[in-house]
Amino acid sequence: MSVEVRNITKRFGKFTALDNLNLKIESGELVALLGPSGSGKTTLLRIIAGLEFPDPGAGQVLFYGEEVTNLPASERKAGFAFQHYALFRHLNVFENIAFGLRVLPRSKRPKEPEIRERVEKLLKLIQLDAHGKRFPTQLSGGQRQRVALARALAVGPKVLLLDEPFGALDAKVRKELRRWLRQLHEEIHVTTLFVTHDREEALEVAGRVAVLRDGRIEQVGTPEEIYDRPASAFVYDFLGNVNLFHGQPHGGSVKIGDTEYAVTEKGGPLETPAVAFVRPHDIRISREPGGHATLAARVIRCNTAGPSAHLELRRLDNDGWFEVQLSKEQFNELQLNTGDQVYVELRNVRVFPEDYSI
Amino acid sequence: MAQQPSPRAGLIDMGDTTTFFRDTRHEPHRRATAEAPWVRRLLITGALSFLGIFLGMPLVSVFAEGLKKGLGFNFHTFLDPQTLSAIKLTFIVAGISVPLNCVFGVAAAWAITKFDFRGKNLLITLIDLPFSVSPVIAGLIYVLLFGAPGPFGTWLSDHNLKIIFAVPGIVLATTFVTFPFVARELIPLMQAQGRTEEEAARVLGASGWQTFWRVTLPNIKWGLLYGVILCNARAMGEFGAVSVVSSHIRGETITIPLQIEILYNDYNTAGAFALASLLAFLGLVTLVLKTWIERKKAAALRAAEMDLIT
């Protein structure tokens, strides 16, 4: 166990940022803290780094089994990369990376040639070996973030903490940096925890994802587990586009329109009115009723830009609106046009109690 | 290994920022906010004559009067033992109160911008107090505190310590009057720079002192210098507060501004103007330094803001 937080609670005035939260991170893992803004993910990261402290007596932070709850940030040996990089603007790239080594107590501080060697090595790792003499303002956003990462790595941190590492970058640079971060992690295998509100980023980069909501952990699991078997309506919704069908469940099925749909997996007890969740790509369309395709709907919009076709449909029985995603081939086969009446079949229906509203 | 982010990304970044600071002064179109030519001319003439009468003329006349009898006379005036001692005392007072306010100002600005605590707004208001209170009252406060009838008066006279009507009083009054300059200068700059660089330094293992010397101070050096220069200008020129706490003993508790008054009251107009031109000259030097540093400081502030934009 490399990082563990136990029963952490943190309040800012009346606002509860973290509510009795627990999380364990294995050595060498790459974990994403995913959640909407205000869910407490950055606060959790800052508490692990020692930049914030949990409410007195409310929780513990452990690094490799050793309690660090009350240690100041400077004694925790965590690497931290800030969303806006926080590079030292008066120091060049080389000195930024060397900073952590230069402030070590004299007895532990490496000799100048050794500092030079370590910084050069890191500059190569972040592919900025020619830019050591530049100042932060002379770098692009992506380059700055890599310098920030190298600076954090220079001190040989026990754990690397990244706060929205790609949040301030444009889409293309973001994608490149994501891939770079994953490769970097495969190379150096330092336990890494990164905060993001971008589900795609979390699912693509992380080995394990922790979904946060209102200061609590909603679900922890591999990206596949989280996506395929969300533990709650919130996780289901947060991870992707979703259609809601209100209905009355009984037994192992739920009635939507006139049809009973088998429930793939239930998220709670099925006595109360419930909401069935279906992803847009889990809906089949046919021109004629038959088999399971019994729910009548009308096509109100077709968008075929991009790799697949996106349709908007309206139910004929109660005006409910939903989205469908089809492959281009299926779409062409069906020869659909706006205004057409079709019949849809719902697959992978998941039911959650109706207390959650999107 | 991944590829370098394409250089285009950097170019786009730069493009955005240059657009943000686009200079529109030389654009040929008449701006919507511009007035008719005769209105503009009238307003400009009015503003310039006001400036000339109230700022330009006095300055010119100080130097004209001060240099009327030639530089030789000026040096003769400065070398008069009483005037020389006034000049010396002025530098001593500035030499003590400016470093004090430099330290206090940095400490106050650091506390206000890098930490949250109860009574922060009260502290900010207190720092402004010397600006809102008349210097005469500032002087009077010290007379009441340390003078014979004051709470410390008896104790001080028992121990044969003299604060009021002596040099320590002048230093105290000057320090009080010039207190806000450094802090006022630093607070907005440090607020714009935020706390993240300090946080980064802490996470990297730097102690509080190391963070201050290696991160905070280099980032605020131009703002600090600017504040120090303003503070120094005021410390050398302060009249009201110093006049109240000084016993006006010639050659002992007289600073340059007080000496100018004495010379003037002694009908030594030429001497008064000679000394006044020295003080005005020091002020002008300050102004030049100030302008130069202002540019450096603006660059630092812009860099801080650019960091937030990009």
Side-chain angles (χ1 to χ4, degrees):
Chain A
M1 203 70 59
S2 103
V3 176
E4 187 178 353
V5 294
R6 285 185 196 155
N7 308 91
I8 294 271
T9 296
K10 173 76 179 171
R11 290 189 188 85
F12 295 105
K14 281 185 180 162
F15 176 72
T16 305
L18 296 176
D19 187 4
N20 202 12
L21 185 140
N22 288 285
L23 183 65
K24 288 178 185 175
I25 291 148
E26 300 294 334
S27 198
E29 264 194 309
L30 178 56
V31 175
L33 293 176
L34 175 68
S37 51
S39 60
K41 52 195 191 308
T42 295
T43 307
L44 176 59
L45 201 73
R46 289 173 63 85
I47 284 180
I48 294 173
L51 293 170
E52 306 271 1
F53 293 89
D55 286 348
Q60 292 173 297
V61 181
L62 293 96
F63 283 6
Y64 297 93
E66 210 175 297
E67 177 155 2
V68 296
T69 319
N70 295 313
L71 275 189
S74 52
E75 288 168 33
R76 289 202 189 182
K77 285 190 175 281
F80 199 101
F82 295 81
Q83 183 175 4
H84 294 286
Y85 327 123
L87 295 178
F88 304 125
R89 70 197 95 199
H90 64 288
L91 297 178
N92 64 26
V93 169
F94 185 97
E95 287 302 324
N96 259 285
I97 298 174
F99 187 91
L101 301 171
R102 294 208 190 282
V103 296
L104 283 171
R106 202 179 297 272
S107 55
K108 291 185 194 160
R109 196 185 311 153
K111 294 264 177 302
E112 186 61 29
E114 199 186 326
I115 291 181
R116 202 147 277 284
E117 196 190 58
R118 268 165 83 170
V119 175
E120 303 278 354
K121 215 168 134 189
L122 281 161
L123 277 170
K124 263 202 194 81
L125 187 72
I126 59 168
Q127 299 153 350
L128 286 175
D129 12 358
H131 293 58
K133 289 220 162 62
R134 294 219 187 166
F135 283 87
T137 42
Q138 296 168 308
L139 301 179
S140 73
Q143 290 172 329
R144 286 185 208 182
Q145 187 57 282
R146 282 182 287 160
V147 174
L149 276 169
R151 183 178 68 176
L153 288 171
V155 287
K158 289 177 180 167
V159 49
L160 190 58
L161 306 167
L162 316 173
D163 184 10
E164 300 265 5
F166 318 120
L169 301 169
D170 59 57
K172 195 168 174 295
V173 181
R174 222 177 151 114
K175 231 178 154 99
E176 280 171 4
L177 262 186
R178 264 192 225 164
R179 198 167 52 221
W180 179 79
L181 176 67
R182 223 178 31 217
Q183 283 171 348
L184 181 78
H185 183 258
E186 274 161 28
E187 260 175 67
I188 58 175
H189 258 296
V190 59
T191 310
T192 307
L193 196 58
F194 75 97
V195 156
T196 180
H197 62 263
D198 182 339
R199 57 162 201 265
E200 220 180 287
E201 198 164 286
L203 297 179
E204 188 189 314
V205 179
R208 223 150 52 97
V209 179
V211 184
L212 271 84
R213 177 195 183 192
D214 296 337
R216 288 166 171 277
I217 296 227
E218 197 86 355
Q219 187 176 5
V220 187
T222 64
E224 293 74 28
E225 282 166 4
I226 297 267
Y227 191 83
D228 295 334
R229 291 191 296 284
S232 67
F234 174 82
V235 177
Y236 199 112
D237 174 46
F238 196 72
L239 286 184
N241 295 331
V242 66
N243 293 303
L244 272 65
F245 296 90
H246 296 267
Q248 184 62 51
H250 39 84
S253 61
V254 60
K255 195 171 180 184
I256 296 166
D258 290 332
T259 317
E260 300 266 345
Y261 285 96
V263 172
T264 315
E265 200 176 335
K266 50 193 176 193
L270 293 181
E271 289 96 38
T272 49
V275 188
F277 284 61
V278 185
R279 295 229 187 262
H281 56 82
D282 282 331
I283 297 178
R284 295 295 142 95
I285 291 185
S286 48
R287 285 223 164 247
E288 302 299 329
H292 294 287
T294 52
L295 190 64
R298 192 174 299 286
V299 179
I300 54 174
R301 204 179 116 85
C302 306
N303 179 8
T304 53
S308 52
H310 294 262
L311 310 181
E312 288 175 25
L313 284 83
R314 194 179 292 289
R315 280 167 71 170
L316 292 183
D317 55 349
N318 69 357
D319 270 359
W321 176 96
F322 59 96
E323 278 182 325
V324 178
Q325 188 186 340
L326 295 177
S327 71
K328 279 270 172 68
E329 287 162 27
Q330 285 173 316
F331 179 76
N332 290 335
E333 250 170 54
L334 286 162
Q335 295 185 316
L336 288 173
N337 282 309
T338 309
D340 287 356
Q341 188 182 328
V342 294
Y343 296 88
V344 302
E345 176 194 350
L346 310 180
R347 294 179 172 189
N348 283 329
V349 178
R350 296 215 42 189
V351 173
F352 295 97
E354 210 174 45
D355 63 348
Y356 172 71
S357 56
I358 290 173
Chain B
M1 269 291 142
Q3 318 157 292
Q4 290 265 50
S6 66
R8 272 188 66 82
L11 279 178
I12 292 165
D13 269 4
M14 297 308 282
D16 283 351
T17 48
T18 34
T19 324
F20 190 80
F21 291 109
R22 192 159 55 111
D23 188 350
T24 51
R25 272 175 302 183
H26 304 299
E27 285 187 356
H29 302 291
R30 201 181 127 182
R31 271 181 288 164
T33 48
E35 297 295 336
W38 69 270
V39 178
R40 270 186 282 167
R41 258 172 236 139
L42 191 75
L43 287 173
I44 290 170
T45 316
L48 281 182
S49 16
F50 188 87
L51 210 68
I53 293 167
F54 286 95
L55 287 176
M57 259 171 41
L59 190 66
V60 171
S61 71
V62 162
F63 284 108
E65 286 288 331
L67 296 171
K68 217 185 209 162
K69 295 198 176 176
L71 271 175
F73 173 79
N74 276 15
F75 282 114
H76 182 72
T77 313
F78 301 156
L79 289 177
D80 168 70
Q82 284 184 15
T83 310
L84 202 60
S85 114
I87 295 172
K88 224 161 78 187
L89 182 61
T90 300
F91 281 107
I92 290 171
V93 170
I96 298 172
S97 60
V98 171
L100 277 181
N101 276 334
C102 181
V103 173
F104 292 153
V106 170
W110 160 273
I112 284 168
T113 54
K114 309 286 175 183
F115 301 94
D116 294 310
F117 53 90
R118 249 169 216 275
K120 188 161 150 175
N121 284 327
L122 188 72
L123 181 60
I124 296 174
T125 316
L126 265 180
I127 288 173
D128 273 344
L129 187 71
F131 273 172
S132 53
V133 170
S134 158
V136 176
I137 297 173
L140 212 57
I141 293 169
Y142 286 108
V143 173
L144 292 176
L145 266 180
F146 300 113
F152 305 108
T154 342
W155 187 86
L156 284 170
S157 65
D158 284 354
H159 291 78
N160 215 6
L161 293 169
K162 219 165 154 40
I163 290 184
I164 294 306
F165 308 128
V167 175
I170 296 176
V171 172
L172 273 178
T174 307
T175 308
F176 178 87
V177 171
T178 55
F179 186 83
F181 286 98
V182 171
R184 276 277 117 192
E185 223 20 81
L186 290 183
I187 289 169
L189 179 69
M190 287 167 90
Q191 256 162 1
Q193 290 177 342
R195 303 176 190 175
T196 52
E197 281 186 50
E198 278 81 8
E199 286 182 345
R202 293 292 278 162
V203 179
L204 288 167
S207 67
W209 272 114
Q210 283 174 321
T211 306
F212 178 75
W213 286 108
R214 287 168 179 263
V215 178
T216 309
L217 200 59
N219 277 337
I220 61 167
K221 61 180 176 208
W222 293 115
L224 179 61
L225 211 54
Y226 182 82
V228 163
I229 278 182
L230 284 182
C231 184
N232 184 54
R234 182 67 190 270
M236 291 195 303
E238 177 55 30
F239 178 84
V242 173
S243 178
V244 176
V245 295
S246 162
S247 53
H248 298 266
I249 302 166
R250 298 190 182 195
E252 275 182 37
T253 57
I254 296 296
T255 60
I256 296 179
L258 297 184
Q259 179 70 7
I260 293 172
E261 192 204 23
I262 287 171
L263 290 172
Y264 186 75
N265 287 344
D266 287 352
Y267 302 102
N268 186 353
T269 317
F273 270 108
L275 198 53
S277 63
L278 174 72
L279 199 56
F281 175 73
L282 289 176
L284 283 182
V285 170
T286 306
L287 214 61
V288 171
L289 277 177
K290 192 196 88 148
T291 316
W292 179 65
I293 286 166
E294 212 164 31
R295 261 187 230 155
K296 293 274 186 186
K297 195 191 73 168
L301 195 64
R302 209 161 43 235
E305 280 160 4
M306 289 267 279
D307 263 11
L308 292 179
I309 295 164
T310 51

